[in-house]
Amino acid sequence: MNAIKTRKSSDIADINTARTYDFHMRWIETDPVYPYPTLLISGHREYCDYHVDIRFLETVYIACAPSFDNDFIWRMATEKEAAMMYVCADEDRAKVYCIEEDFSVYVPPLYSPPQREARKFFIVAWGLEITLSYDETLEDQVSNWGQLI
């Protein structure tokens, strides 16, 4: 049996290179020390050789589907998007994260992109912690991802 290794990152764009999908909101954890809860979203690959946990620390506001697939790009919100979320969250100092539907995964002529605007989800939180767990045999594939812990 191969050992499981772990890497960590705090850059939301790293989720795009983690090669995971099938994301699900797992739980919201309250902490007596912090005024806002921690939101956990998990994703994996079909054969379970990768697993990612995304913790939004001190989550102020959530405008996100409870589950989604790999057709999304994870990024920081633009200034305009952040300004809209700050009105909803009433907290203009937290970070605004965006999960945006990616139509580039549709390759014509077999698949054509939907004829609508891309869906966007937003999470306003004070911080982010991403943990990638993977089978040690995949070390070469993830050696540039985050930091080994």
Side-chain angles (χ1 to χ4, degrees):
M1 183 172 174
N2 296 323
I4 299 297
K5 289 192 168 186
T6 305
R7 291 182 167 271
K8 286 201 181 272
S9 175
S10 59
D11 182 355
I12 194 165
D14 282 346
I15 300 169
N16 299 322
T17 60
R19 298 183 356 217
T20 54
Y21 53 86
D22 195 20
F23 293 96
H24 295 278
M25 208 174 284
R26 302 295 295 201
W27 45 258
I28 296 177
E29 174 186 84
T30 56
D31 188 324
V33 176
Y34 299 108
Y36 301 111
T38 294
L39 168 67
L40 175 67
I41 296 178
S42 293
H44 64 85
R45 275 188 18 183
E46 184 176 2
Y47 300 108
C48 296
D49 49 1
Y50 282 85
H51 179 87
V52 66
D53 285 326
I54 307 140
R55 284 182 175 79
F56 292 93
L57 310 171
E58 294 190 69
T59 306
V60 178
Y61 183 82
I62 304 168
C64 184
S67 64
F68 47 94
D69 54 23
N70 65 329
D71 297 344
F72 287 83
I73 293 177
W74 298 69
R75 62 177 176 81
M76 296 302 296
T78 65
E79 285 184 31
K80 184 177 179 182
E81 291 166 337
M84 290 186 321
M85 290 300 104
Y86 290 145
V87 169
C88 297
D90 195 28
E91 183 57 74
D92 63 355
R93 293 172 296 157
K95 297 173 183 169
V96 180
Y97 302 96
C98 180
I99 307 163
E100 181 176 9
E101 192 171 21
D102 180 15
F103 289 154
S104 71
V105 297
Y106 296 95
V107 181
L110 295 176
Y111 303 101
S112 53
Q115 300 301 308
R116 59 174 171 73
E117 202 171 309
R119 292 178 291 167
K120 294 180 188 177
F121 304 134
F122 295 97
I123 299 172
V124 182
W126 284 95
L128 175 74
E129 180 183 276
I130 307 161
T131 305
L132 176 68
S133 302
Y134 58 95
D135 185 298
E136 70 180 347
T137 60
L138 303 170
E139 182 67 39
D140 290 345
Q141 295 178 32
V142 298
S143 61
N144 293 330
W145 194 96
Q147 297 202 344
L148 184 63
I149 57 168

